[in-house]
Amino acid sequence: RRHDTLGAAQGGAMRITYEHRFDASVDEVMAMLSDEEFNAQRARASGADDCDVLVDRLDDGSFTVAIRRTIPATDIPQEFRSLVGGKLTVRYTEAWAPAERNGDPTDREGTFALEIPGTPGHARGAVVVKPMEGGAAFGLAGDVQAPVPLIGAVVERAVASAIEQALPKELAAADAWLA
């Protein structure tokens, strides 16, 4: 029972939102998200030729996931390829707070950041996993920014497009992992 929705709004920074439903509990989803092998699998599912993954867990239940992946430039829009060459390195980080942080021990909240070294584009925002009937809901909301005159909008569209293409593939890998 998977349901995905993706939205992007323009004006200044591009706003991205994404929702996904898992047929698994919040605890099962969080265990998966904090697993190094899963995070390597999710990077490969999104088209990475190569990836490095580091998961740092703390005693309070919080954890940080850092993924550095190399993707072929053919995976990004044509107008952006001349800026990056044949390969593109993407650094993605999720920092998940302990369950009790927001007063509801069943919800998990965190932040994400996506950077492409050597380019002006980046994305930052919030991630959440909440219980729902029959499973857990994953949500992502953030802004894509590229504060560059003339080409900023092109860079923002390219970064947003990369996220829009990668997230469904990563979440399909997550569904398969949890199955």
Side-chain angles (χ1 to χ4, degrees):
R1 243 181 348 150
R2 211 178 80 195
H3 174 72
D4 293 327
T5 58
L6 176 68
Q10 306 224 16
M14 288 188 78
R15 184 79 177 157
I16 54 171
T17 59
Y18 201 86
E19 296 177 0
H20 182 82
R21 296 178 185 166
F22 288 112
D23 290 332
S25 70
V26 170
D27 288 342
E28 291 168 319
V29 171
M30 297 312 295
M32 171 189 66
L33 291 173
S34 66
D35 185 281
E36 284 189 14
E37 181 52 38
F38 165 73
N39 282 288
Q41 184 175 327
R42 99 193 240 197
R44 288 188 299 272
S46 68
D49 288 339
D50 184 37
C51 68
D52 293 313
V53 174
L54 175 64
V55 176
D56 185 20
R57 294 176 200 81
L58 298 180
D59 291 340
D60 65 0
S62 63
F63 62 94
T64 301
V65 177
I67 304 171
R68 185 204 53 80
R69 66 187 97 192
T70 304
I71 61 171
T74 55
D75 287 354
I76 62 172
Q78 178 69 37
E79 65 268 21
F80 195 49
R81 291 181 200 159
S82 64
L83 300 173
V84 298
K87 299 262 183 204
L88 187 65
T89 298
V90 178
R91 287 192 311 228
Y92 180 79
T93 306
E94 285 178 353
W96 289 93
E100 300 79 33
R101 178 177 178 202
N102 67 355
D104 185 346
T106 62
D107 292 1
R108 293 299 298 265
E109 296 179 347
T111 59
F112 78 92
L114 181 140
E115 297 175 335
I116 304 169
T119 72
H122 64 269
R124 290 188 174 81
V127 286
V128 64
V129 176
K130 295 182 177 190
M132 57 170 271
E133 187 163 334
F138 169 85
L140 176 144
D143 295 312
V144 177
Q145 295 181 319
V148 180
L150 303 176
I151 64 164
V154 171
V155 174
E156 287 174 2
R157 279 194 308 273
V159 172
S161 175
I163 293 169
E164 290 170 0
Q165 291 176 24
L167 267 176
K169 294 173 186 174
E170 290 185 19
L171 291 167
D175 286 331
W177 181 277
L178 292 167

